[in-house]
Amino acid sequence: PHPETTAVVMSTVLFLRRASSSAASSASTSARAPLASYIGYATAPTERLAAERPRHHHLLLGNRGARLVATDAPAMPPMYTSTHEILRPDTSASPPDGSVVMSVGLTPRAFDLIGDVRHVEQTFRHFVDIRGEIPEGVPLCMLHWEGFKRTASDELYHAQWANATGDRPLTLPFAAAVVAVNQAAISEAYKTIKADESGWIYKVRARPETMETARKLGLVMSEEQYLAMCDRQEEQEDAEASRSYP
């Protein structure tokens, strides 16, 4: 073929490829647009931890429970605590006082740190205040867990592990009222408590101003902020493990 014809054909092919790539990039960006803003910030789900639509509550707690009203509001992105709890807002519930209802569970990082939850000892009923809330930092329950801990490394840098057990409190960095209990999580903790949406333990109701205070203190965070915190923690753990080698 003539050189000038070849150059024209190649230019046309490159133009079409760039146009196709630009359209695909634009569609991808639109699909990743941030979700609705929540208590002062907006967040978009990442591939590592995608936002999930919350399910309906299982068991309401007597007179202290909020009156929950079903709504058609879209799912809101989950939030995370500095102690590795995941908070999934329940948009099917709309308390008349404007408070926020959310399920409380554990993140995958929490299970990395402790292993499997074998038993749940409920404690929150002993600490309910005059508002019907459990104060911030007070355990909702104690999680009895079993897992493995690295104990040492041999001369070939092979990690050595041993069985480990312990107790982990489930706390929140803001005052909240327990409005629902996942009875399956209490009766069959090992089978039920896991990192996905069905593995929640409690549903709580919290006042927006208390959550906003916790957010400003860095105790409640968006997914992006939480993942960054986990990355920093893992880097620190890797550095400490390297220093422990003989």
Side-chain angles (χ1 to χ4, degrees):
H2 195 278
E4 293 182 358
T5 303
T6 301
V8 171
V9 171
M10 291 301 294
S11 298
T12 303
V13 170
L14 288 173
F15 173 79
L16 292 175
R17 286 180 177 174
R18 287 171 181 167
S20 176
S21 176
S22 176
S25 176
S26 176
S28 177
T29 300
S30 299
R32 294 194 300 268
L35 296 177
S37 178
Y38 190 68
I39 64 165
Y41 60 81
T43 182
T46 67
E47 293 181 1
R48 290 173 61 184
L49 291 172
E52 299 170 312
R53 181 177 296 277
R55 298 176 182 175
H56 294 289
H57 52 281
H58 284 195
L59 175 68
L60 293 181
L61 296 183
N63 295 329
R64 289 200 181 103
R67 181 175 179 79
L68 306 182
V69 181
T71 70
D72 294 326
M76 302 180 85
M79 298 168 290
Y80 303 85
T81 70
S82 58
T83 50
H84 306 292
E85 285 83 21
I86 182 170
L87 311 173
R88 294 183 174 95
D90 185 353
T91 54
S92 69
S94 181
D97 60 357
S99 57
V100 181
V101 175
M102 68 205 87
S103 64
V104 181
L106 298 178
T107 68
R109 172 69 172 157
F111 289 99
D112 289 343
L113 295 172
I114 64 173
D116 298 318
V117 177
R118 293 289 183 170
H119 176 66
V120 177
E121 179 185 352
Q122 298 196 80
T123 57
F124 72 90
R125 289 184 175 88
H126 302 298
F127 303 105
V128 178
D129 63 17
I130 193 170
R131 285 176 175 267
E133 297 177 339
I134 296 86
E136 63 183 87
V138 173
L140 301 178
C141 65
M142 292 297 294
L143 305 176
H144 304 287
W145 57 267
E146 293 181 1
F148 297 92
K149 295 290 184 181
R150 183 164 59 186
T151 59
S153 299
D154 61 21
E155 63 277 6
L156 297 178
Y157 301 99
H158 296 150
Q160 297 178 357
W161 301 83
N163 291 330
T165 60
D167 300 325
R168 180 204 191 276
L170 183 71
T171 63
L172 294 174
F174 50 82
V178 174
V179 298
V181 178
N182 186 348
Q183 292 299 316
I186 306 302
S187 60
E188 296 183 301
Y190 178 70
K191 293 182 179 179
T192 305
I193 299 177
K194 47 193 174 181
D196 64 21
E197 184 185 3
S198 65
W200 63 275
I201 305 169
Y202 294 108
K203 286 198 176 182
V204 300
R205 182 185 73 248
R207 289 170 284 128
E209 61 270 22
T210 63
M211 296 186 64
E212 177 65 12
T213 299
R215 185 191 68 82
K216 290 180 178 179
L217 293 173
L219 303 176
V220 172
M221 59 197 78
S222 68
E223 183 179 273
E224 181 180 2
Q225 293 168 328
Y226 176 73
L227 292 175
M229 182 193 75
C230 290
D231 287 341
R232 292 192 300 269
Q233 291 179 350
E234 290 172 3
E235 289 173 1
Q236 182 178 359
E237 291 169 3
D238 290 343
E240 292 174 353
S242 297
R243 288 194 296 269
S244 69
Y245 289 147

